[in-house]
Amino acid sequence: MMNRHLAKHINNAAGGILLPLAVLVLLATMHTACIRNTSKELQTVEAHQEMASFSVKDLHTTVTDSGFYKYDFETPQLSQYDNVEVPYIDFPVGLKFKMYAQKGKIVKSHIRCNNAKYYKDDAIWELNNDVEAITEKQDILNTEQLFWNTKSHRIYSDKFVKITTKNQVITGYGFESDENLSKYEIKHPGGEIEVDND
């Protein structure tokens, strides 16, 4: 859409032989300026998008209920990116999360990893690099990547997984479970090893 300043300039030049030249010069100048400005604006926008909306270092949060520990969350670094196509929170050096049992005396379950992202719009956690989850039954899940969809309450992975229980070690590729890890399925089982507790 032609701006008012340009339209006024062209209208003032109308009726003279300079109209075609004036229009060509203005359009050429506007076109060149747009290319330069667009390039700079794009660089500025891209740089702005790459910048975190905010960052926090050494975050340690404890949630209590009636004076008892309920949750404990710890991360060395958190950065939130709101100005990207898919907004997310980045945990570049990992996180630790503990959930306590009633009365807050015993750790009910916990999860840790060396890198994580939380995609806000989809409510999905992506945990990466040396992921370990310990359930209330003290079963241990180890993998290199784990997704947790907090909307559907499902946990899944396409990577190699190892589940260690009191009686056996189960391995395989591909994993899906409820978020409590109480009912799970390994898509391509690799094997089971019975553990002798004696």
Side-chain angles (χ1 to χ4, degrees), residues 20-57:
L21 182 59
V23 171
L24 285 174
V25 169
L26 282 170
L27 290 176
T29 305
M30 193 170 73
H31 179 68
T32 307
C34 283
I35 292 172
R36 287 186 187 139
N37 289 340
T38 302
S39 178
K40 286 180 183 177
E41 286 171 5
L42 283 175
Q43 289 173 2
T44 304
V45 169
E46 286 173 5
H48 179 67
Q49 287 177 341
E50 291 171 6
M51 290 176 57
S53 304
F54 71 89
S55 293
V56 179
K57 289 202 172 189

Side-chain angles (χ1 to χ4, degrees), residues 137-198:
K137 295 189 297 184
Q138 298 304 297
D139 293 346
I140 304 169
L141 167 70
N142 295 100
T143 186
E144 285 302 305
Q145 186 177 57
L146 192 68
F147 291 94
W148 175 19
N149 187 322
T150 59
K151 286 182 180 177
S152 65
H153 306 289
R154 303 300 294 169
I155 295 174
Y156 53 93
S157 176
D158 289 331
K159 305 294 183 184
F160 176 81
V161 295
K162 181 175 84 169
I163 299 172
T164 306
T165 70
K166 291 178 182 177
N167 303 317
Q168 60 186 352
V169 176
I170 307 164
T171 61
Y173 287 86
F175 171 84
E176 188 171 351
S177 170
D178 63 330
E179 61 187 7
N180 296 320
L181 295 173
S182 59
K183 296 178 181 177
Y184 56 82
E185 175 190 2
I186 295 180
K187 304 289 185 182
H188 305 285
E192 296 182 19
I193 301 170
E194 296 296 326
V195 177
D196 187 355
N197 292 319
D198 297 331

Side-chain angles (χ1 to χ4, degrees), residues 102-142:
Q102 261 187 335
K103 304 294 184 184
K105 293 180 181 177
I106 301 167
V107 175
K108 182 177 175 182
S109 58
H110 84 255
I111 193 161
R112 67 163 178 80
C113 63
N114 292 335
N115 175 275
K117 285 184 173 67
Y118 176 68
Y119 299 97
K120 300 193 300 178
D121 292 347
D122 295 325
I124 292 177
W125 282 92
E126 177 187 341
L127 309 176
N128 295 298
N129 302 336
D130 197 20
V131 181
E132 180 176 84
I134 301 178
T135 70
E136 188 175 1
K137 295 189 297 184
Q138 298 304 297
D139 293 346
I140 304 169
L141 167 70
N142 295 100

